[in-house]
Structure formats: structure tokens, C-alpha cells
Amino acid sequence: MKKLSFIWAALLFVFSCSMFGQDIRYNFDKSADFTKFKTYKWVEIKGATPPDDITDKQIKASIDAQLTTKGLSKVDGDSADLYIGYQVAMGTEKQFTSYDSGWGYGPGWYGRGWYGGGGGMTTGQTSTIYTGQLAIDMYDSAQHTLVWRGVVSKTLDPKAKPDKRQKNLDKSTAKLMKKYPPTSK
């Protein structure tokens, strides 16, 4: 019975970690008037390594959809209120998971005599976790200053199937863009 409850607890932990795994952060210029921003234009950030063309189109389409819901319109000319650029970073992390099949106690003295001949068996496994981070920068075109920056991690997985990648990207940009425009207090 204890093993069964341990397995269920472990499964619940793994499920909750995967559900809440994305890290979302943002920052903004408190002196900026976000009500004046109505249009935007895509720009490339100098020094940023662009992803492949397909991923670039997916990222821009996902962000475009979110910005449209915020009331912003995309323009091609230089008359945009905001210049928007993004950067991506992809990497890997190693994860080590171990499990002890015993009671957690090894042999030793217990009470008046020797207890046990051995604990359980500890097994381990390593796995690779792909991490992808997306950073979105918004610049005031008139002042040439950064006014908003959002970063979401664990967004881009190069090993995921295309549908899963797009779904994860759309979900993470929606979470990130909930913070735009920032609320003034």
C-alpha cells in the first residue's frame, strides 16, 4: 500500500511540475504611457541569433495574434508606435532521478539486536530536458527606448512535434502577453 501511495505521489509531483514549468518574467518603463501605443513594426535585434525561418514565422504569428487582442495593429512603414523584436535561446539540462526500493533504512542496531541485512536497491536514471527561452522587447519608436520586456522559459522544444511546438508557443505567448500593457498604480 505504501508503494502504491508513493507512486501516486510521484506521478502527481511530475504532473504538477510539467503543468507549472514555464517561468514568466517581465519588466517595463514606469514612465512610459502605454495608452499611446496603437501600432507596431517587427525589427531585428542586433547581435541576436535568429532561429530557422519556420520557427521565426511561428513566433511572429503567435505574438501577432496576442498583440491583435491587445488592440495593436501591425504596420510595415516607419510610422509604427512600437518596434518589437525577439530573441530565442535553446539549450539542454540534465536531470537525474533516483528511486530507493527499500524502506529508507539500512542495516543497523535497533532496540536490542541487529536489524536487517540490507536496505533496498537504489536505481537512477538521467534524462535530457530541452529548454527554450523567448524574450520579447518593445521599444518606443519616438524615444528609441526600451519600454517593455517579457521573457518566458521552457517554451521552445526542438525535439517536439510541430503541432505540440505551436501549441506550447501559443500558450506561453498568451501567458506572457497577459502582462501587457502593464497596469499603472
Side-chain angles (χ1 to χ4, degrees), residues 25 87-90 131-135 151-156:
R25 292 169 282 144
Q87 300 178 62
V88 294
M90 291 192 203
T131 59
Q133 188 175 60
L134 173 65
V151 179
V152 61
S153 356
K154 298 182 183 174
T155 301
L156 303 168

Side-chain angles (χ1 to χ4, degrees), residues 24-85:
I24 297 173
R25 292 169 282 144
Y26 75 103
N27 198 0
F28 64 96
D29 181 357
K30 293 182 184 191
S31 65
D33 179 13
F34 287 90
T35 60
K36 71 177 185 175
F37 301 131
K38 303 292 182 200
T39 59
Y40 71 94
K41 175 185 175 179
W42 283 105
V43 295
E44 290 194 23
I45 296 177
K46 293 180 183 176
T49 305
D52 60 81
D53 289 342
I54 294 171
T55 303
D56 178 64
K57 287 178 187 176
Q58 290 173 327
I59 290 170
K60 286 180 178 176
S62 184
I63 296 169
D64 284 342
Q66 292 302 315
L67 292 176
T68 299
T69 65
K70 301 293 182 176
L72 295 170
S73 302
K74 184 168 89 171
V75 296
D76 293 327
D78 290 334
S79 62
D81 300 324
L82 285 172
Y83 292 145
I84 299 180

Side-chain angles (χ1 to χ4, degrees), residues 147-166:
V147 291
W148 192 89
R149 182 165 219 255
V151 179
V152 61
S153 356
K154 298 182 183 174
T155 301
L156 303 168
D157 181 0
K159 299 289 185 183
K161 293 181 180 177
D163 291 340
K164 176 127 173 123
R165 283 180 76 175
Q166 188 65 49

Side-chain angles (χ1 to χ4, degrees), residues 87-105:
Q87 300 178 62
V88 294
M90 291 192 203
T92 59
E93 295 177 4
K94 291 289 186 189
Q95 177 181 15
F96 180 75
T97 308
S98 66
Y99 172 75
D100 185 2
S101 63
W103 289 90
Y105 301 103

